[in-house]
Every structure is written in structure tokens, then in C-alpha cells.
Amino acid sequence: MLGLSDKFLSNRKLESLVENQTSYTLNNAALHVFETHRQAERVLLKFDQPVLASMVEGKKIMHLRDYESFDFLPGESLVLPSNETMCIDFPEAMRKKPTRCLALAISEDKINKVLQLMNESMPKHDRSEWGLMDYNFHFVNDMGIFQILQRLLFLFTENHPSKDFFVDNMLRELIIRILQTNERKIYSNSTLQLSSNSRLATVIRYIREHLHEPLNVEDLSSKACLSPSHFYRVFKTELGISPIEFINNERIKLAVGLLQDKKRSIKNVYLECGFESRSYFNRVFKARQHLSPSDYQAKAQSEPL
């Protein structure tokens, strides 16, 4: 799984139990490792450059300006603009089970150079130009992004005279992959933009809190006080995907994090995510992650670098 090596953990200084920060700075980027060892609420964090935050262990609840709060789990990343304030809760952090997260701050100059390269070498099918990535883009890491993040974690902490060069090459690939992922929209982030008192926001919260239970359009529509057909149309219009697609996306998002725990069996994972059969779980997972759950688990559980 994406993780911190024993060498890192033994060498870093633990000076705070809430968002203890270990940082490594290079020419075009800085890598920050944050660790929280006790429960906390409303912790504020901000960077002066665009940042990719990626969860390693534990759970955060993110509160972003003008967006619905959401759980931030292992296997997920979030792209934020410079000077965007994050307000973070740590509902489960403890000394023996800390919450850990990477924050990779990337210079806008580096991002712009990659965008120029993409527009010159790999134009979009619709001939529109690549632009700065959608910010507040919350997504599940695919295996390519997962492996780049693991490699960057190694490179930043390595004592090598050419590591700036190595990191620059990895940053270029990471930015390209994120932009292409953003273009595909692994799962809709429109839910972050729903007002907290909208009918759909209430249903979204219910889905995320009951993923392990049976969920169907009829029951969800009644919670929104709409007929099933009207609910389906409103949901798809607002979020761009059907209710079942959204439910499956959220279940796969949860599964990605659970599969990084080597103690969990595939059966345990798909049942906890609300899938009734392994065959259906395999089919939905592979369609979204391009790997079977067992192959994903084997790759994600490789030893940290």
C-alpha cells in the first residue's frame, strides 16, 4: 500500500500530536507528510501553491469553502488551488492508529510548462486546450497515480545528487495523469457543490453512511420526497450519472481503501462495501480501476519504498 517506510518513521521528529509536519523541498515542489495521533476538529491548513493531497492512513472529514463536507480516505487524492483553506476533522485518530496524509505542493510554473507540452504534443480530441486542472477535484487514485506517489515519496526522502531531476520527470507524468483523470471524471465531484440543505445532499449523505446496506432507487426517492422516476431524472441532471452509478462509484471508492489493508479478504471487502456477490463486485471494480480486486490488492500491498 502507499505508505511510509520504517526508515522515515524512525528518522522524523514527532513534535505535535495534531498535523505533525515533516517537509522536503526541491526546486519545483515540496512534499509534506502530516501525521495526527489524537482526535481533533476544525484544524486549518493552507498552502501558497497548488497542492495534491493524498491519504495514506486513517480518515479525515474535509470541509472546503462552499462545498459539502466529505470523508477523505486512503486511496483517494484531492487537488486544491493555492491559498485554499482546508478545515479538517480527525474523528478516529489515536496514538496507535494515526491519520497520515501526503501534501505535494507544485509550483504553478511547473504546471504551466506541462500544460504547454500537452497542448503541443497531445491535443484533446475536441481540439480544446488543456488548462489548469479543476480545483477541489476529489478522486480515487488509479494504479498509475498510486505508483507515482509511492515513487515520489521515495525520491524526496532519498539522498541523491540528481533527485531534483528525477522528481521533475515524475511530476510531469503525475500532472499529465491527473489532468487526464480529471477529464474522465472517475466519479462525479458535482456532489461537492450541492448546498447542504438540498434534497439530493441529504440523499448523498444517506448513501455514503449506508454503503454497506442494500440501496435502491425506490427507497432513496422516498427520502427525497420524489417519485422514483422524478428522482432518477433530477439525480442524473444534477450529478451527470444515475443513482446506481453513483452508489457503485462510492462503493468502489471505499473498496480501494479497504483493499490496502492486507488483513482484509476480498469477501470481507465486498460485503462491507454493500455488494451481494463477488462476481458483480469484480465486474464493477474492474470497469472503474482496470484491474481485478485481487490484482489491485496485490499491487497496493507491495512493501513501501
Side-chain angles (χ1 to χ4, degrees):
M1 63 181 288
L2 181 63
L4 306 172
S5 67
D6 291 339
K7 181 180 177 181
F8 168 85
L9 294 174
S10 62
N11 289 339
R12 62 82 163 93
K13 292 182 179 179
L14 189 60
E15 299 175 339
S16 172
L17 294 181
V18 177
E19 290 292 68
N20 185 78
Q21 181 177 344
T22 306
S23 298
Y24 305 86
T25 302
L26 296 177
N27 287 337
N28 289 311
L31 179 71
H32 311 280
V33 180
F34 292 96
E35 302 175 77
T36 295
H37 292 255
R38 66 173 175 82
Q39 292 182 8
E41 293 183 347
R42 303 289 169 174
V43 178
L44 302 181
L45 188 62
K46 182 169 68 173
F47 297 91
D48 59 7
Q49 293 179 318
V51 66
L52 170 73
S54 189
M55 283 296 292
V56 177
E57 298 178 55
K59 171 184 173 180
K60 294 182 179 182
I61 299 176
M62 304 293 292
H63 309 276
L64 303 178
R65 177 174 47 87
D66 300 329
Y67 291 90
E68 177 79 3
S69 301
F70 61 95
D71 291 349
F72 195 24
L73 303 170
E76 299 175 14
S77 291
L78 176 67
V79 178
L80 292 165
S82 58
N83 298 309
E84 174 82 359
T85 299
M86 294 174 268
C87 182
I88 309 167
D89 296 340
F90 301 85
E92 300 174 358
M94 59 184 70
R95 288 300 295 262
K96 293 184 178 180
K97 190 180 177 183
T99 296
R100 293 187 169 114
C101 180
L102 306 182
L104 181 64
I106 307 173
S107 74
E108 292 200 28
D109 181 60
K110 178 65 177 179
I111 295 172
N112 287 330
K113 286 179 179 177
V114 175
L115 289 171
Q116 182 180 351
L117 173 68
M118 293 179 73
N119 285 318
E120 292 173 354
S121 306
M122 51 185 80
K124 293 183 180 182
H125 295 301
D126 63 2
R127 300 187 181 278
S128 63
E129 289 197 345
W130 294 98
L132 281 176
M133 61 196 74
D134 284 350
Y135 287 120
N136 296 339
F137 174 41
H138 175 206
F139 62 95
V140 177
N141 299 331
D142 61 22
M143 188 52 64
I145 290 175
F146 165 83
Q147 291 177 335
I148 291 172
L149 290 173
Q150 187 68 72
R151 180 66 178 163
L152 282 170
L153 181 58
F154 171 76
L155 290 173
F156 269 96
T157 57
E158 184 188 26
N159 184 20
H160 194 288
S162 300
K163 71 177 183 178
D164 252 312
F165 176 78
F166 297 153
V167 166
D168 267 2
N169 285 337
M170 297 302 296
L171 287 175
R172 181 170 67 176
E173 182 180 351
L174 179 64
I175 294 167
I176 291 171
R177 286 183 179 271
I178 291 173
L179 285 164
Q180 291 174 336
T181 296
N182 191 19
E183 190 76 3
R184 294 194 305 269
K185 301 290 188 185
I186 288 179
Y187 64 93
S188 172
N189 66 334
S190 301
T191 57
L192 299 180
Q193 301 170 3
L194 295 173
S195 64
S196 59
N197 60 357
S198 76
R199 292 181 182 183
L200 286 188
T202 300
V203 173
I204 297 303
R205 281 196 297 272
Y206 180 84
I207 290 172
R208 287 175 168 160
E209 292 170 1
H210 296 82
L211 287 174
H212 60 289
E213 300 175 6
L215 296 168
N216 58 66
V217 172
E218 289 73 18
D219 291 343
L220 295 175
S221 63
S222 68
K223 293 184 181 300
C225 301
L226 299 170
S227 70
S229 59
H230 189 198
F231 170 75
Y232 183 94
R233 287 195 301 273
V234 170
F235 195 102
K236 192 159 187 178
T237 298
E238 290 292 320
L239 275 71
I241 55 176
S242 72
I244 297 304
E245 287 175 311
F246 179 82
I247 291 167
N248 282 340
N249 286 347
E250 291 296 301
R251 284 174 167 165
I252 295 304
K253 183 177 72 169
L254 175 60
V256 164
L258 296 178
L259 286 169
Q260 295 182 34
D261 182 351
K262 62 184 179 182
K263 296 179 182 179
R264 290 184 182 272
S265 67
I266 301 293
K267 182 178 181 179
N268 173 270
V269 170
Y270 79 71
L271 289 176
E272 187 163 340
C273 294
F275 290 98
E276 295 183 357
S277 73
R278 177 162 181 170
S279 60
Y280 183 55
F281 172 58
N282 286 349
R283 188 163 68 251
V284 175
F285 191 96
K286 192 167 185 178
R288 286 156 175 78
Q289 294 296 319
H290 310 293
L291 286 171
S292 69
S294 55
D295 287 343
Y296 186 95
Q297 187 177 52
K299 288 193 173 186
Q301 290 180 5
S302 58
E303 287 297 317
L305 293 172

